[in-house]
Amino acid sequence: MANKRIDEPTGTETVGHEWDGIEELDTPMPRWWLWTFYITIAWAAVYVVLYPAWPLISHGTQGVLGWTSRGQLAKEMSAADAARQSLREQIAAIDVEKLAASPDLMSQAVAGGAAAFKVNCVQCHGSGAAGSAGYPNLNDDDWLWGGSLPAIHQTILHGIRQPGDDQTRTSQMPAFGDILEPRQISDVAGYVMSLSGKGPANAAGAQIFADNCAVCHGADGKGLRQFGAPNLADAIWLYGGTKQDVMRQVRAPRHGVMPAWQGRLDPVTIKMLAAYVHSLGGGEDFTQVTETPVEQSNEQP
Amino acid sequence: MSNPDEPKIEEGVVKTTQPVSSAVADAVAGARRHEPHEPARQHLPEKLYEPRRAVHNKRIDGPFRRFKWLVMFVTLAIYYGTPWIRWDRGPYAPDQAVLVDLAHRRFYMFGIEIWPQEFYFVAGLLIMAGIGLFLITSAVGRAWCGYSCPQTVWTDVFQHVDRFIDGDRNARMRLDAAPWTWSKALRRAFKWTIYLAIGFWTGGAWIMYFADAPTLVHDFWRGEAAPVAYITVAVLTLTTVTLGGFMREQVCIYMCPWPRIQSAMMDEKSLTVTYKDWRGEPRGSLKKARKDPEHYGDCVDCLQCVAVCPTGIDIREGPQIGCITCALCIDACDRTMAEVGRPRGLIDYATLEDCKREAAGEAPRPVWKTLLHPRTLIYLGIWSALGLAMLFALGTRSRIDISAAPDRNPPFMLLSDGSVRNSFTVKLRNMSTAPRRMKVTLDGLPGAVMWTSTTSREAAARSIETTVPADATAPLRLYIAAPKGTGEQPFSFHLVTLDKQAERDTAKVTFSGPGAGG
Ligand code: SF4
Ligand code: SF4
């Protein structure tokens, strides 16, 4: 026990420690501080009773208020859903081709579609919807089945070559490897390349094309949408645009599959997706609807 | 600090040997609110806080008091009245002359509208206010403190309320000392109700700056205003009553940093309220002075200067931090001097330099001469240069803006005819108070055309026109198709308004492409 003593100038007892002649006074803690401390202790006790607090072996104490963070999240989510409800109802009530006539609804649908796209579509079409070989680029203006709002909507609803859906988009190109000679395949591929200005035309290829391909792809090779037959005269190639790519596709065509989203996603989300895909820049049949193409916005910079 | 002037006077020290600078040194060291004869404390103070002694200042009339009245009326009228001034900005903007519209992040001041990104104007105003304070302080000392500081103005208001209800100085001192009776309690309750009303009015005027005043008043009384309005009024009512009604000079002496800063900015060329001790000391009552006119100075020790002082100090102890230079003591002393038939100005505005000069027997200089010295002129120069620069910037600033952000994913897109497409999100900003028709034109990028998300590609052209609503930023999605083989290259969007002003702005961007042969 260190020797305690009373400090003369202040009249306070020292705690008995001394460093180089400096002594520590045993000054009591300030009362306001103590009271604050006691109140926090009381508050902690109340908290433990009211809220989930104490970890046990398999679960924790529940708290008499029955509050949980999951419950709070669910409540906030349903509140957010409720806030969106009227918008969803409006979109549900409107035909997809009429969506563009109401710029407000359209812009909301595009925003909702962008979110749904990131969850459901990016796996195949890429995060920027630019696709890759075999997976169509949705930004460009080349549409196998049509790029108007209703056409896009139909494609999303029923998918491409989706078994079990009788309204699905289906096209089938015969494998000409069994029908044509390799020489003929090379000729027709050369002719197809010439349609989009890559390489010279050849008469043999033209004849083969007219006999075998024009039925679906049209005499000028510009494709036919009702058959889902691609336009061969443009610069866009789903399976690659070199002569080798084209020859392979003539010999043994590949056919992509897209799921039908009807039944997996709700109708409103599908409409929103259609609106979003249409908005990517390649959408067709857009009727100009607004006098001034800019929506009122108070968005802050 | 521990060496008051009195002993010297008793010893009959020759007037001129008492240097003014010693009083200045005392003042700089801190407020002197202890008794003059109190011995210096050797140990720890028993109390860290000295209880407030109420200041009951006496009513006085005189040129400075009248000037103070004038400043008080003008500043209060500006404060309470400004939000009610209307200003017609057309149908798209509020018609309140001065409005801080936090919800829409706009600041309106008569014909000027400030957007958040133009906040440098507000920053410039604050800098000007700062330099203005330097200027005023170096020229006329603590004039801000004495006349136009809100604490001073509202304290003055409350002191007039005291005087109106409890009577002048002596009556108030008597009432303060009197035991609590029903009549005293009633009187106090009445007075504090008036305090509260003033506080409420003050807080109420404040919120008017942040919303349309007539609407807000209407909503406020119907209980329909935003909660923050009620909270603000409550807080400001309380602070006004506490600071102006009860704390008063304590705010100036203990809470406010300005006195310290201002003391640091004053020099021997700054005007300040000074007691001319070489003329007044040794002081003595009129009777004593009559008996021995050779020995006594001009101060007849009538204590009027102390009685009228709103901060309750004795200016005869020298310049001190408690003095807000309101000059009421000058009015009081001049009146006494007139009564006893001596020249006015025993207490007067003077610079420390002039004090020395006068103490040495020279004639006082005219006040305007004291205002012109290099420091004041330099501050004035900087201040006006800033003001002119801001006026220039304000006059030439643009009310439109264009910014463009390219899509990065994918950076470009090949179209079926081989052309290259880029997409941009372009923001058109219209900072004026009416919708404006604007034209965006491609500058560079030969052969390219553009269209928007709401026009069809067939309508693509080198330029598009659109109307941007008043006071808004309009996002525009632009698709640009450039001929086959276009490679990466810079170009710009050129914006021009299709009205008389024909304001212009340009956004420089880069077009992405595969390049020739791609
Ligand atoms: S000493 Fe004089 S100038 Fe200073 S605050 Fe008091 S009355 Fe005003
Ligand atoms: S008012 Fe003038 S004369 Fe009277 S005490 Fe003050 S300084 Fe002296």
Side-chain angles (χ1 to χ4, degrees), chain B residues 273 305 308-311 313 315 322-329:
Chain B
V273 172
C305 50
V308 299
C309 178
T311 64
I313 56 165
I315 189 64
C323 173
I324 57 173
T325 69
C326 64
L328 295 187
C329 52

Side-chain angles (χ1 to χ4, degrees), chain A residues 97-173:
Chain A
E97 58 265 36
K98 302 235 177 76
L99 211 47
S102 107
D104 225 30
L105 225 47
M106 182 73 179
S107 68
Q108 299 274 9
V110 168
F117 190 89
K118 295 225 156 46
V119 178
N120 300 292
C121 313
V122 294
Q123 292 83 345
C124 292
H125 291 286
S127 62
S132 61
Y135 300 96
N137 184 338
L138 304 177
N139 292 280
D140 64 24
D141 57 345
D142 193 23
W143 298 92
L144 285 169
W145 301 97
S148 66
L149 262 173
I152 296 171
H153 187 238
Q154 169 79 6
T155 304
I156 302 173
L157 275 179
H158 299 289
I160 307 289
R161 303 184 186 93
Q162 177 66 32
D165 188 321
D166 55 1
Q167 287 185 66
T168 193
R169 311 274 202 189
T170 305
S171 66
Q172 185 81 33
M173 170 154 159

Side-chain angles (χ1 to χ4, degrees), chain A residues 10 127-130 137 139-142 196 233-236 279-282 286-290 292-301, chain B residues 44 104-106 117 409-410 413-416 418 421 427 429 437 451 453-457 465-467 469 471-477 479:
Chain A
T10 58
S127 62
N137 184 338
N139 292 280
D140 64 24
D141 57 345
D142 193 23
S196 48
D234 67 13
I236 292 167
S279 80
L280 286 171
F286 192 86
T287 38
Q288 187 155 351
V289 283
T290 41
T292 55
V294 175
E295 294 103 46
Q296 167 78 42
S297 158
N298 265 328
E299 186 195 347
Q300 296 304 323
Chain B
L44 286 170
H104 302 103
R105 300 196 227 172
R106 298 283 182 277
Q117 63 268 37
N409 182 18
M413 182 61 45
L414 289 178
L415 297 184
S416 52
R421 197 197 76 203
K427 285 186 174 169
R429 194 175 288 144
R437 193 111 186 114
W451 67 100
S453 61
T454 48
T455 57
S456 63
R457 197 187 157 189
E465 287 179 18
T466 184
T467 303
D471 210 20
T473 304
L476 201 59
R477 194 149 166 80
Y479 303 108

Side-chain angles (χ1 to χ4, degrees), chain A residues 180 183-193 205 208-209 213 250:
Chain A
L180 296 177
R183 172 79 223 155
Q184 291 176 303
I185 291 177
S186 172
D187 285 348
V188 80
Y191 176 71
V192 165
M193 293 302 288
I208 297 164
F209 187 86
C213 316
V250 175

Side-chain angles (χ1 to χ4, degrees), chain A residues 25 43 45 54 71 75 87 105 175 177 187 194 196 239 247 258 290:
Chain A
L25 296 186
W43 164 246
W54 209 262
K75 212 157 91 190
L87 174 72
L105 225 47
D187 285 348
S194 77
S196 48
Y239 289 101
M247 279 167 67
M258 166 165 149
T290 41

Side-chain angles (χ1 to χ4, degrees), chain B residues 205-499:
Chain B
W206 178 255
I207 61 171
M208 298 299 150
Y209 285 87
F210 298 87
D212 181 61
T215 320
L216 184 57
V217 169
H218 183 258
D219 291 351
F220 190 89
W221 288 112
R222 291 174 59 114
E224 289 164 0
V228 65
Y230 296 99
I231 295 169
T232 308
V233 171
V235 168
L236 288 182
T237 306
L238 277 182
T239 47
T240 308
V241 170
T242 317
L243 300 183
F246 294 99
M247 292 184 67
R248 297 187 181 175
E249 81 289 347
Q250 290 178 298
V251 175
C252 307
I253 296 173
Y254 299 112
M255 283 171 64
C256 181
W258 280 129
R260 272 83 181 167
I261 297 168
Q262 297 206 335
S263 314
M265 283 189 300
M266 285 172 68
D267 58 16
E268 66 287 344
K269 292 181 180 2
S270 313
L271 272 180
T272 186
V273 172
T274 323
Y275 167 69
K276 299 181 175 167
D277 52 358
W278 65 90
R279 185 181 138 191
E281 299 296 324
R283 59 185 88 138
S285 68
L286 203 49
K287 234 200 245 158
K288 284 199 224 160
R290 289 241 167 89
K291 248 187 249 159
D292 187 3
E294 286 302 300
H295 178 70
Y296 288 105
D298 276 351
C299 175
V300 294
D301 215 4
C302 65
L303 287 174
Q304 290 305 299
C305 50
V306 179
V308 299
C309 178
T311 64
I313 56 165
D314 185 348
I315 189 64
R316 295 173 303 167
E317 291 173 12
Q320 50 204 288
I321 214 150
C323 173
I324 57 173
T325 69
C326 64
L328 295 187
C329 52
I330 302 183
D331 279 346
C333 190
D334 282 354
R335 181 172 281 234
T336 301
M337 290 299 109
E339 271 167 26
V340 301
R342 289 178 192 166
R344 70 162 292 277
L346 174 54
I347 305 177
D348 207 356
Y349 268 116
T351 67
L352 293 185
E353 224 175 44
D354 286 350
C355 283
K356 271 189 209 144
R357 203 171 288 141
E358 276 185 51
E362 287 180 38
R365 286 196 307 162
V367 162
W368 66 265
K369 267 196 182 156
T370 67
L371 297 182
L372 301 175
H373 58 267
R375 222 152 72 98
T376 342
L377 295 177
I378 289 169
Y379 284 141
L380 185 66
I382 299 175
W383 188 83
S384 357
L386 256 176
L388 288 177
M390 290 220 333
L391 277 180
F392 180 74
L394 205 61
T396 55
R397 71 185 174 152
S398 162
R399 302 319 285 146
I400 58 164
D401 185 52
I402 183 172
S403 62
D407 274 10
R408 300 246 177 254
N409 182 18
F412 63 86
M413 182 61 45
L414 289 178
L415 297 184
S416 52
D417 60 1
S419 55
V420 188
R421 197 197 76 203
N422 276 203
S423 315
F424 290 86
T425 303
V426 173
K427 285 186 174 169
L428 304 181
R429 194 175 288 144
N430 175 11
M431 299 190 227
S432 58
T433 51
R436 292 179 93 171
R437 193 111 186 114
M438 300 186 186
K439 183 159 128 182
V440 183
T441 314
L442 284 177
D443 195 357
L445 215 56
V449 288
M450 62 182 171
W451 67 100
T452 75
S453 61
T454 48
T455 57
S456 63
R457 197 187 157 189
E458 285 68 56
R462 290 286 289 177
S463 66
I464 56 149
E465 287 179 18
T466 184
T467 303
V468 184
D471 210 20
T473 304
L476 201 59
R477 194 149 166 80
L478 283 184
Y479 303 108
I480 299 181
K484 187 173 179 175
T486 304
E488 183 170 307
Q489 56 182 287
F491 75 104
S492 37
F493 291 108
H494 195 77
L495 178 71
V496 59
T497 61
L498 299 173
D499 48 25

